[in-house]
Amino acid sequence: MADIGRKSDTFSSRFGFIMASVGSAVGLGNFWRFPYTAGENGGGAFILIYILCVLLIALPLLMAEYAMGRKSGMSAIEGVQSLARAESRSQNWGIVTWIGSLTAFFILSFYVVISAWLLAYLIQAIGGDLHGTTAAESGQNFANTIGQGEDPMPSKWYILSLLGVFLAANVFIVGRGVKGGIERAATILMPAFFVMLIVVVGFAVATGDTARTVAFIFEPKWEDVGFKTFLAALGQAFFSIGVGVGLMITYGAYLDRETNIPKSSAIVAGSDTFVSLIAGFAIFPIVFAAGLPENAGPSLFFVSMPVAFEAIPGGAIFAIVFFALALFAAFTSSISLMEVSVSWLEERQGVTRFGAAIGVGFVLFMVGAAYVFSLEYLDFMDFMTEGLLLPLGGLLAAIFAGWILSRDMLTSELGEGTIMNLWRFLMRWFVPPFIGLVLIFGFLDKIQDQYHVQLPGALQMLLGPNYDLTLQE
């Protein structure tokens, strides 16, 4: 079956495509979420389960999204609808990528605000003004920086200006197109990212408490493994790779025929997993050496790390590298998420690419401004995307690829033989049930964490020994 459509702008090389895809997958969650999640959910046992989830769930779904994108040659929403028409199925299957695309936009709307915080901290680090002598002082500096301190308005307007700068950079890169914008930026930023990551890891290992970090992250703790461990590992694998938001379908539309989708998917998933595995060594040796708590979550970046850098020799210099590293990860992810909306507007509405980028950027700025002035909106959107929309979009994408599209439709993209047989089995019988579990139990988990709802006793027993159901005040 011939390709249904074809984007005029494509990635010029396999290296550029992989760098762009890795950049979209590697984000802030690799740094603060994976190491702590691993340490609290069984250490080495969790990592083993996580790797299996990458191989058996995230990787097959990544291959499916690339294949659907290249087969259609269109934006995510239009592409799925065209594939459904080619299979004589209802165009209502476009809901698969409508949900994913809206989720990508919602995630991006608060991701850019956090990126503005990172930009503010990078500026502070360059000026030697992180205020991280004690945890209390660092926490107060964070509150003051984001406009939650005693004199909030000047700080809010400052963050809003940085938000504008960050979005302007996104608009400029995405507006230049795939080859001249996204690919060129990725081929420069991602190698620089990996160099900085190695530098920070080397510094942390040389100056911090590496032995305790190894024990915290990698030591198998089978007594901590419960059903919640599998949910955490699956959720981390699924969300970290970046499937379920229409992004990888969009990138697939820009692929040339020579790119081997199974091999490229394995490289992207493997690179993201590698960053997750070593990210802990960029943070926790320094945190442990400074005697700080390891369970601070996202506040590790903005509260604990400034204190840690203040407490060790050479920390002021490496604080600059660290926050630049985090900002690079945020930027490569944000331009990828913006591409989902821009690609659809350019294709469906007939506007120029740069005009679409400006329009999306303006809407993001207005929504981001609401987050800057009221963080409650940000918390709610984070709850809705991670707890409901992401797994729902991934579940529908898995069902569509495994059960709605025929084998012949995707054979030309994935090849025949063992790989195709294994992929189709997983996409039909393995991936949807497990994503369904994440959707149901993950949403229950989010409801309890966000709204302090007591779950029934049967669910408490099912979720396992490390599932904290204590009501919070």
Side-chain angles (χ1 to χ4, degrees), residues 382-395:
D382 178 58
F383 161 70
M384 287 299 296
T385 52
E386 185 178 350
L388 177 63
L389 296 177
L390 268 171
L392 178 60
L395 175 62

Side-chain angles (χ1 to χ4, degrees), residues 204-278:
V205 169
T207 60
D209 192 341
T210 306
R212 186 176 172 188
T213 301
V214 171
F216 178 72
I217 298 178
F218 290 105
E219 183 179 320
K221 297 183 282 286
W222 295 103
E223 66 275 10
D224 292 337
V225 174
F227 188 74
K228 175 69 182 296
T229 308
F230 288 86
L231 293 178
L234 180 58
Q236 177 68 32
F238 180 71
F239 303 138
S240 180
I241 300 299
V243 291
V245 296
L247 167 58
M248 298 308 185
I249 298 177
T250 301
Y251 271 16
Y254 298 114
L255 273 178
D256 58 34
R257 300 302 316 174
E258 286 69 41
T259 299
N260 184 294
I261 287 180
K263 289 182 180 179
S264 297
S265 300
I267 292 173
V268 172
S271 298
D272 182 75
T273 303
F274 169 76
V275 171
S276 294
L277 291 176
I278 70 169

Side-chain angles (χ1 to χ4, degrees), residues 22-31 111 115 118 166 189-190 193 196 275 301 322-337:
V22 171
S24 68
V26 173
L28 298 178
N30 295 75
F31 290 91
Y111 205 87
S115 300
L118 283 173
F166 186 79
L189 293 177
M190 288 315 297
F193 168 86
M196 286 192 293
V275 171
F301 267 54
F322 177 81
F323 285 109
L325 175 72
L327 191 61
F328 273 36
F331 185 65
T332 55
S333 294
S334 64
I335 60 176
S336 302
L337 289 168

Side-chain angles (χ1 to χ4, degrees), residues 113-192:
V113 175
I114 297 173
S115 300
W117 297 351
L118 283 173
L119 183 55
Y121 265 69
L122 176 59
I123 294 172
Q124 290 181 13
I126 293 173
D129 194 30
L130 279 176
H131 300 289
T133 304
T134 65
E137 182 182 3
S138 183
Q140 186 59 51
N141 178 60
F142 176 57
N144 291 337
T145 299
I146 67 173
Q148 299 295 309
E150 296 179 356
D151 188 18
M153 291 311 297
S155 296
K156 289 180 185 294
W157 286 108
Y158 176 62
I159 292 296
L160 196 62
S161 67
L162 295 181
L163 174 64
V165 171
F166 186 79
L167 280 170
N170 276 262
V171 168
F172 176 76
I173 295 298
V174 177
R176 288 175 59 86
V178 172
K179 189 179 300 182
I182 294 175
E183 181 179 356
R184 181 171 296 179
T187 54
I188 296 173
L189 293 177
M190 288 315 297

